[in-house]
Amino acid sequence: MSILEIKNLRASVEEKEILKGISLTVKAGEVHAIMGPNGSGKSTLAQVLAGREEYKVTGGKVLYRGKDLLELGPEERAREGVFMAFQYPVEIPGVSNTYFLKAALNAIRKHRGEKEVDAVEFLKLVREKMKLVKMDETLLRRPVNEGFSGGEKKRNEIFHMAVLEPILGVLDETDSGLDIDALKIVAEGVNSLRDQNRAFVVITHYQRLLDYIIPDFVHVLVEGRIVRSGGKELALELEEKGYSWLEEEASALATA
Amino acid sequence: MSTAMLEEYAEREYEFGFVTDIDQEMIPPGLDESVVRLISAKKEEPEWLLEWRLKAFSHWLKMEEPQWANVKYDPIDYQKIIYYAAPKSDKDRPKSLEEVDPELLRTYEKLGIPLKEQEMLAGVAVDAVFDSVSVATTFKGKLAELGIVFCSFSEAVKNHPELVKKYLGSVVPYSDNFFATLNSAVFSDGSFVYIPKGVRCPMELSTYFRINAMNTGQFERTLIVADEGATVSYLEGCTAPMRDENQLHAAVVELVAMDDASIKYSTVQNWYPGDLETGKGGIFNFVTKRGKCEGKRSKISWTQVETGSAVTWKYPSCILKGDDSVGEFYSVALTKGWQQADTGTKMVHIGKNTTSTIISKGISAGQGQNTYRGQVKILKGAHGARNFSQCDSMLIGDRCGAHTFPYIDVNNPSARMEHEATTSKIGEDQIFYCNQRGIATEDAVSMIVNGFCREVFRELPMEFAVEAQKLLEVNLEGSVG
Ligand SMILES: Nc1ncnc2c1ncn2[C@@H]1O[C@H](COP(=O)(O)OP(=O)(O)OP(=O)(O)O)[C@@H](O)[C@H]1O
Ligand SMILES: [Mg+2]
């Protein structure tokens, strides 16, 4: 079954068109990597999938497990199993990470008709997941992302993902700013969730993440279009040649 | 999440006001010397107290209403106010909760107020709340064993005249300011607390006695004295929405702490803020609250959570006279609709090594205007005085405002002052982040706001903190989704 079907998606922000017709199908069990130069629209795609209002969809369709995703509000998407790891995770002063995460988990469980977890069950779950991402326990008690180092913020995103167990995980440059050990941990976090019922879209600039999270497909986004798709070897080719050869193709395409 | 939507969330109507017909014994509207005499006579007060009221009254006649606060309201006609009304008689009260506005009951429920207290708050006739009253009486007995005096102001005048005479006006003199002077002339009733030497009050005062604070009218007077080494925590107000036929409220609170004594005074206030569209009918709350750290190493701590009133004018202050004394002010003020709040504190450092801390959190939504006005004054003799001030403002939507006026007046070079101020807009990115984790916008807003206020909430007694948190939630609850 397809988890995600994007058909000719167009989106703009502040009257400027950023996504210019994107089509992409992600099936259960797959990992898709999206690469591309700065400003090409990768984060925009992630935000549109997550339901950020500022990004106006001007054309196309997105089906999530066969249903119209664009009709749903961002919290409904999350409750249906869509998770986005933010490129720039947001700080929420005064709200403890555990309190926040428990509220999130319970909102999702409630939506699924499951009973809310109590403090004891929650703590048990959290301890287990924390080990997975080797996160320091003090980060649980601290306010969400406040004063976290860049790497800690990214790790916290994966930790949230591990606890919430989404069906579709969209990771926006979760590897940027991570040292090599942290990178491995993040990859482990993703791999531990990887199974026949879930799928991931991993946005990255670096092929090295893909050594740990081995993608089924790699897509290159240039100026709001997917200009090339391939297997994991495409990432290696990009690493070697850069994007300029594809950018030329893209501009040829745009003027054609 | 657009700004317009955010505002919609913030502008929830205040649905919980209730008005009951009034049929009370009262003096006709207007104020002159004979009214002051009549109030005093009705309360069977001693001569000295009448004299004091009269001095205040003649002083008030020469005063002008202050205009400096950052609030706008239609002029108050002091001749149209009723200055004395006896409490409602039982026959005019609802007989049971079934006769009370169901909306009001829903709010009580949301706030988690126990049934018995709901009855008290809704003004159900006394015999229906007999249980609670007897609980209160039991506690009063316990307090009396320790020599603690805790009673209404009128009772104190009758039973402890020497204490009242000694401390009344010792912190807020009758001539202090327009509203305090008016209060001094016409105050109706209020609470009196005296904690004797070395006694630690074993319970939060007023949790079981909320009824005390009811029906005391618009000119309330509170006096709390903690003698040497005594400790007390006092809770004022309650989170339940309060509506009052009286628009003007001008209360006075005086606190006195002797050597090594400590007073913690917590307020949660939820007066009717007025119609959200027009601001009509809301309470004007002009309060003078001041504590005097008379003794060495004494401590006075004010914590307030203000969510109601159309206009709030309030500056709980500390006079740090004793050496090594400590003053604290923790405040959360929420303004939405057309509410205006001009609030803050004044810390006057007189003694050596005196310390003060000010943490103020202002939240504005809708067209709300929130002003922090604080003064830290270090007098010549206050060697080694220290102050830390932090004033944070949060804006919800873009039609509201936050203003900060910190005044600092340092007359001793050894003083150390620290001031921090921030203004932030409740972030759409914060709300989106919450949404993306499955949390609804309404819950996200209250979560973010509660997080913003955490430093203040943790100063509140546990039970009050939970209520205050719920109160903010209820106040920010939207009509959408
Ligand atoms: N809120 C916004 N307002 C204005 N322009 C925006 C906004 N968000 C994105 N853009 C613009 O849209 C374009 C695509 O941005 P996007 O963040 O999607 O790029 P990206 O591929 O994720 O880049 P990077 O690799 O640097 O993260 C950029 O030109 C960016 O400036
Ligand atoms: Mg990006």
Side-chain angles (χ1 to χ4, degrees), chain A residues 198-246:
Chain A
R198 293 179 224 278
F200 293 88
V201 173
V202 178
I203 296 170
T204 181
H205 282 292
Y206 306 103
Q207 119 77 22
R208 83 181 168 163
L209 177 70
L210 306 178
D211 287 341
Y212 301 102
I213 305 176
I214 295 162
D216 300 294
F217 299 94
V218 175
H219 310 276
V220 184
L221 195 62
V222 176
E223 285 173 30
R225 289 186 180 88
I226 290 177
V227 296
R228 183 147 308 205
S229 298
K232 66 177 164 34
E233 59 299 331
L234 178 58
L236 289 167
E237 197 179 349
L238 290 171
E239 180 118 296
E240 201 178 303
K241 298 204 226 163
Y243 293 116
S244 54
W245 57 292
L246 289 172

Side-chain angles (χ1 to χ4, degrees), chain A residues 43 87 172-173:
Chain A
S43 293
Q87 183 173 3
D172 191 357
E173 293 198 27

Side-chain angles (χ1 to χ4, degrees), chain B residues 104-385:
Chain B
L104 187 75
L105 296 180
R106 265 198 285 280
T107 324
Y108 289 165
E109 227 126 83
K110 276 189 205 161
L111 293 167
I113 294 170
L115 212 65
K116 282 291 163 200
E117 281 189 36
Q118 292 187 21
E119 291 179 336
M120 284 199 272
L121 293 167
V124 171
V126 169
D127 57 333
V129 290
F130 186 75
D131 282 358
S132 323
V133 173
S134 61
V135 167
T137 315
T138 318
F139 277 96
K140 274 193 178 168
K142 246 193 199 157
L143 294 175
E145 272 170 40
L146 292 164
I148 293 171
V149 181
F150 177 44
C151 60
S152 74
F153 206 94
S154 323
E155 278 176 77
V157 169
K158 286 204 172 74
N159 303 329
H160 306 277
E162 68 303 334
L163 284 175
V164 177
K165 198 170 177 181
K166 183 167 174 193
Y167 292 108
L168 176 69
S170 70
V171 185
V172 181
Y174 70 82
S175 56
D176 193 80
N177 70 72
F178 185 82
F179 298 111
T181 302
L182 176 62
N183 174 290
S184 303
V186 302
F187 69 88
S188 30
D189 209 334
S191 305
F192 177 82
V193 177
Y194 174 78
I195 315 285
K197 276 186 194 168
V199 172
R200 210 165 240 285
C201 185
M203 67 191 82
E204 314 276 358
L205 288 186
S206 133
T207 317
Y208 287 92
F209 307 97
R210 282 189 187 153
I211 199 163
N212 276 5
M214 303 282 298
N215 298 325
T216 45
Q218 47 188 347
F219 301 104
E220 211 175 322
R221 185 107 200 169
T222 302
L223 175 55
I224 300 176
V225 180
D227 217 327
E228 285 170 29
T231 302
V232 62
S233 168
Y234 186 89
L235 314 183
E236 173 201 41
C238 81
T239 52
M242 303 266 274
R243 181 142 187 180
D244 199 306
E245 301 84 12
N246 304 313
Q247 215 184 9
L248 173 67
H249 279 244
V252 172
V253 177
E254 296 181 275
L255 312 181
V256 183
M258 310 308 278
D259 285 357
D260 299 295
S262 138
I263 302 176
K264 187 174 175 65
Y265 192 105
S266 313
T267 308
V268 173
Q269 204 68 267
N270 191 20
W271 292 111
Y272 179 59
D275 187 282
L276 274 186
E277 295 302 314
T278 61
K280 281 230 167 65
I283 302 285
F284 296 173
N285 196 22
F286 300 101
V287 185
T288 305
K289 287 184 164 174
R290 195 174 303 151
K292 193 168 177 187
C293 285
E294 180 70 47
K296 292 185 177 124
R297 297 167 302 277
S298 56
K299 177 175 172 183
I300 289 180
S301 179
W302 298 100
T303 306
Q304 60 171 19
V305 177
E306 295 281 338
T307 61
S309 300
V311 179
T312 302
W313 180 100
K314 186 177 170 186
Y315 316 90
S317 305
C318 298
I319 298 170
L320 305 170
K321 191 172 160 210
D323 291 347
D324 300 293
S325 61
V326 177
E328 294 174 338
F329 173 74
Y330 301 97
S331 167
V332 166
L334 168 72
T335 53
K336 60 172 186 178
W338 289 93
Q339 281 179 280
Q340 310 171 63
D342 193 310
T343 180
T345 186
K346 201 176 190 179
M347 295 287 177
V348 182
H349 293 250
I350 301 172
K352 294 193 189 76
N353 300 317
T354 44
T355 313
S356 61
T357 303
I358 299 171
I359 309 270
S360 159
K361 305 277 181 177
I363 303 151
S364 326
Q367 325 245 23
Q369 293 296 327
N370 215 320
T371 300
Y372 169 80
R373 187 183 303 277
Q375 186 182 36
V376 180
K377 196 168 185 170
I378 313 278
L379 299 193
K380 249 200 172 95
H383 293 285

